[in-house]
Amino acid sequence: MLQIKNLTITHKKDLRIILEDFNMVLNDGDKAVIIGEEGNGKSTLMKWIYDPDMAEEYAECQGERVLGAEMLGYLPQELPKEDKTKTLYEYFSAAKLFFDKTPKELAAMASEFQIPGDFFYSDQIMESLSGGEKVKAQLMRLLMDNPTVLLLDEPSNDIDISTLELLEKLINNWKHIVLYISHDETLIENTANMIIHIEQIMRKTKSRYTIVKDNYKNYIKRRAESFERQEQQAINDRNEKKRRDEKYARVYNSVEHALSNVSRQAPGVGKNLKDKMHTVKAMGKRFEKEDENMTKMPEQEEAIFFKLGNESAKMPAGKTVIEYELDELKTPDGNKVLAKDIFLRVRGPEKICIVGTNGVGKTTLLKKMADELLGRSDIKAQYMPQNYEELLDLDATPVEFLDDTGDKAIRTRIRTYLGSLKYTADEMDHPIRELSGGQKAKVLLLKMSLSDANVLILDEPTRNFSPLSGPVIRKMIASFPGAVISISHDRKYIEEVCTKTYTLTKEGLE
């Protein structure tokens, strides 16, 4: 059993409570997913559960963690800095039970994770692995130490579809406790049997959480139905209040008018009217108390929304916008050929998605395409890399990054846009390095929105958005009037956004 008692997490910099009086109990067989918008404290909660000291740098946490005999295994959202320069062998050697594993056991694990048998002993540097290979390596090292509780922070990021299916199998077959954060709606739908929803409502001034033992589809459906019922009841209550108040006002005004015109020669009538006014005022006070218990309009954290592209981004259907050719695709160090004879043609406002196994070179290919397309004068391209830090100035605030003019009117407009993306005033003035992955992604998407781009080059565009914001992001990209070239393993993105899908193999794009 894993239990959390009365946990409150407060952001040290802006003193905002991001989780208040949180209580949770997990038992064997629970597959619990933590959902919520970007910056709501999901990763902070996960870190605190694994090791309270990990959250102390930027958050004050008060609460009790009851572990019993549980052994925790933690997969961080990003590979720790100290592990990036290790070879694979050095990385796996750090597992407590690595040297207790037999060659047969390691071979079975390699087969299950679809990697070469010598992967564990390779001198390849961890940092040079593809995003998906890094996740596989971290998962395997975690499993080597036989944990009973899996704490997984975005395990679905950067892994190919076959590995996503392997991850689903791992979660579903786990006999003990799984607590994970994911933005992959399909993964959540296929695995979770408990939903932990963290929200920031009332313009991020109040924290709220909901824990439900149910699958994701049922939770979303019942939540929507509950909000709809509450909203309808609140509307009915307000309509009834309006009718009652109008009737009350007529009675009050009638008595008040009669009192003001009563003759001094009729004291009995005047006394009766005063008594009646006293009764009317008492009725008014009773109504005020009843109004305090009136059904409130439902408070919920709204999904983000803004538009990508304008009229100038429109492209004629059928017109060839891009023809990209590459004889050989090599690794960044030039030592290995990943694919040959690559050719891609994009016509009009097509939405292209490139898929393929981890390590095949998708991100390397997209970077090469971006380098060429960003330099062309006949199109206006914008690029969103998988690693946001390639483009972001981490020491700048979101406002400073989006505007370097210092013009007051421009900065006010940018703050308005950031507000529509659910940034608080404090978050707008935080260095970008302190923001969550999803908040960083919002900055890059807003930069694209403010540009006049007609071609978007996107590496895993939905990877850091919550399952609640994911549908909005997909709709935005699908309605973009220009062309999109993207990489994604998000099965809903591929289905709802992409008009063509290509698989990158050693022989090129198929």
Side-chain angles (χ1 to χ4, degrees):
M1 182 186 74
L2 169 63
Q3 184 174 12
I4 307 301
K5 295 181 180 179
N6 308 118
L7 173 63
T8 294
I9 301 176
T10 305
H11 198 289
K12 283 184 176 179
K13 186 162 187 176
D14 55 28
L15 302 180
R16 179 167 59 92
I17 295 176
I18 54 180
L19 194 61
E20 187 171 17
D21 198 23
F22 179 79
N23 292 277
M24 175 188 77
V25 177
L26 297 179
N27 293 295
D28 283 355
D30 286 337
K31 289 64 161 100
V33 63
I34 305 174
I35 64 170
E37 294 300 322
E38 299 73 32
N40 276 11
K42 302 184 297 295
S43 292
T44 303
L45 171 61
M46 185 76 81
K47 288 176 182 176
W48 184 87
I49 292 172
Y50 179 64
D51 178 359
D53 290 341
M54 291 176 66
E56 287 301 314
E57 182 181 346
Y58 53 88
E60 182 178 322
C61 308
Q62 294 182 328
E64 185 181 354
R65 185 182 62 140
V66 181
L67 301 180
E70 303 291 356
M71 295 289 293
L72 306 183
Y74 172 61
L75 176 77
Q77 190 176 125
E78 295 181 4
L79 184 68
K81 186 177 180 180
E82 62 270 19
D83 289 330
K84 289 182 178 180
T85 56
K86 291 180 180 177
T87 65
L88 279 164
Y89 178 65
E90 290 170 336
Y91 180 73
F92 285 111
S93 295
K96 294 175 184 176
L97 302 180
F98 174 65
F99 293 105
D100 292 345
K101 300 295 178 185
T102 66
K104 185 178 179 180
E105 288 173 325
L106 291 177
M109 182 176 280
S111 175
E112 183 182 4
F113 279 83
Q114 301 161 6
I115 57 163
D118 61 353
F119 188 78
F120 305 104
Y121 303 97
S122 170
D123 60 2
Q124 185 174 356
I125 302 299
M126 286 289 293
E127 195 171 27
S128 69
L129 296 174
S130 71
E133 288 171 327
K134 287 175 189 169
V135 173
K136 285 183 179 182
Q138 290 176 90
L139 271 173
M140 288 188 293
R141 193 179 86 168
L142 183 157
L143 293 172
M144 283 177 184
D145 287 335
N146 300 329
T148 58
V149 178
L150 299 182
L151 303 174
L152 311 176
D153 193 348
E154 291 295 347
S156 54
N157 273 0
D158 309 324
I159 58 178
D160 58 39
I161 292 173
S162 64
T163 311
L164 273 169
E165 292 169 349
L166 186 152
L167 178 63
E168 287 178 3
K169 184 179 176 182
L170 170 67
I171 293 173
N172 284 327
N173 292 342
W174 194 256
K175 295 179 181 179
H176 302 292
I177 296 169
V178 183
L179 177 64
Y180 68 101
I181 300 167
S182 180
H183 296 150
D184 188 310
E185 290 165 72
T186 307
L187 175 73
I188 294 171
E189 289 172 359
N190 291 348
T191 58
N193 59 20
M194 181 185 289
I195 311 298
I196 301 169
H197 187 177
I198 300 174
E199 298 178 89
Q200 295 286 320
I201 57 175
M202 299 172 65
R203 297 183 181 272
K204 287 195 172 182
T205 61
K206 183 174 176 57
S207 169
R208 181 175 72 188
Y209 74 90
T210 305
I211 298 179
V212 176
K213 277 222 168 193
D214 206 342
N215 65 59
Y216 182 69
K217 282 186 176 180
N218 282 347
Y219 171 69
I220 293 298
K221 180 183 176 183
R222 290 173 182 171
R223 171 183 164 85
E225 289 172 348
S226 174
F227 275 119
E228 189 176 337
R229 285 195 301 270
Q230 184 180 341
E231 183 178 23
Q232 189 57 55
Q233 185 60 53
I235 291 170
N236 293 341
D237 286 359
R238 278 154 182 74
N239 289 338
E240 180 60 33
K241 178 183 182 316
K242 184 180 178 183
R243 288 191 292 269
R244 184 204 69 195
D245 288 351
E246 288 173 350
K247 183 178 180 181
Y248 175 77
R250 287 195 298 270
V251 172
Y252 185 95
N253 291 335
S254 173
V255 175
E256 187 178 50
H257 179 73
L259 262 174
S260 64
N261 291 297
V262 70
S263 170
R264 291 182 180 179
Q265 282 74 34
V269 174
K271 182 179 183 305
N272 288 339
L273 286 171
K274 286 179 181 178
D275 290 343
K276 190 171 185 179
M277 177 58 83
H278 179 76
T279 302
V280 171
K281 287 182 176 179
M283 186 186 299
K285 288 181 180 178
R286 190 177 78 245
F287 288 160
E288 288 176 6
K289 286 189 176 181
E290 289 176 358
D291 290 345
E292 292 175 3
N293 298 319
M294 187 169 58
T295 305
K296 296 179 181 178
M297 292 298 286
E299 280 275 1
Q300 60 178 317
E301 193 172 33
E302 300 292 341
I304 64 168
F305 181 76
F306 63 96
K307 189 176 181 181
L308 279 174
N310 50 39
E311 288 298 311
S312 65
K314 274 190 175 180
M315 290 187 166
K319 178 184 176 182
T320 297
V321 179
I322 298 162
E323 279 194 348
Y324 182 84
E325 294 183 70
L326 187 66
D327 293 335
E328 287 186 336
L329 175 66
K330 295 183 178 181
T331 53
D333 59 15
N335 293 333
K336 181 181 178 183
V337 175
L338 297 170
K340 294 182 178 181
D341 302 324
I342 291 171
F343 177 77
L344 177 66
R345 179 185 287 117
V346 182
R347 291 189 173 97
E350 287 184 325
K351 309 294 185 282
I352 304 297
C353 186
I354 299 172
V355 300
T357 58
N358 290 133
V360 75
K362 299 183 298 296
T363 291
T364 302
L365 174 60
L366 202 69
K367 281 182 181 178
K368 282 189 170 294
M369 287 186 183
D371 288 342
E372 180 176 316
L373 299 179
L374 290 169
R376 280 175 47 176
S377 58
D378 58 325
I379 59 173
K380 295 176 180 177
Q382 285 281 332
Y383 173 48
M384 182 180 186
Q386 188 180 113
N387 179 9
Y388 307 142
E389 297 180 10
E390 291 177 25
L391 295 183
L392 293 172
D393 178 355
L394 298 182
D395 293 320
T397 67
V399 176
E400 291 167 344
F401 176 77
L402 293 166
D403 169 54
D404 56 6
T405 68
D407 182 271
K408 186 175 180 180
I410 292 175
R411 295 215 162 184
T412 299
R413 183 161 59 99
I414 287 172
R415 284 183 176 275
T416 301
Y417 289 139
L418 288 169
S420 73
L421 294 177
K422 309 305 175 189
Y423 278 84
T424 65
D426 286 324
E427 287 169 340
M428 295 178 199
D429 294 323
H430 284 182
I432 289 174
R433 71 172 66 256
E434 295 181 9
L435 302 179
S436 70
Q439 288 173 311
K440 291 172 183 174
K442 286 179 183 178
V443 172
L444 289 176
L445 280 176
L446 183 52
K447 184 174 185 290
M448 291 182 174
S449 178
L450 296 173
S451 74
D452 54 357
N454 54 15
V455 176
L456 302 182
I457 308 158
L458 310 173
D459 195 345
E460 293 284 359
T462 60
R463 66 192 286 264
N464 276 310
F465 287 102
S466 77
L468 304 168
S469 288
V472 181
I473 298 297
R474 294 194 296 270
K475 186 176 180 180
M476 284 166 44
I477 298 173
S479 61
F480 175 67
V484 176
I485 305 172
S486 59
I487 295 171
S488 185
H489 300 131
D490 181 340
R491 289 160 282 187
K492 289 190 181 290
Y493 173 87
I494 295 169
E495 178 184 346
E496 296 174 16
V497 176
C498 304
T499 56
K500 283 187 180 178
T501 302
Y502 294 94
T503 302
L504 179 62
T505 69
K506 291 180 180 180
E507 284 72 43
L509 291 171
E510 299 176 352

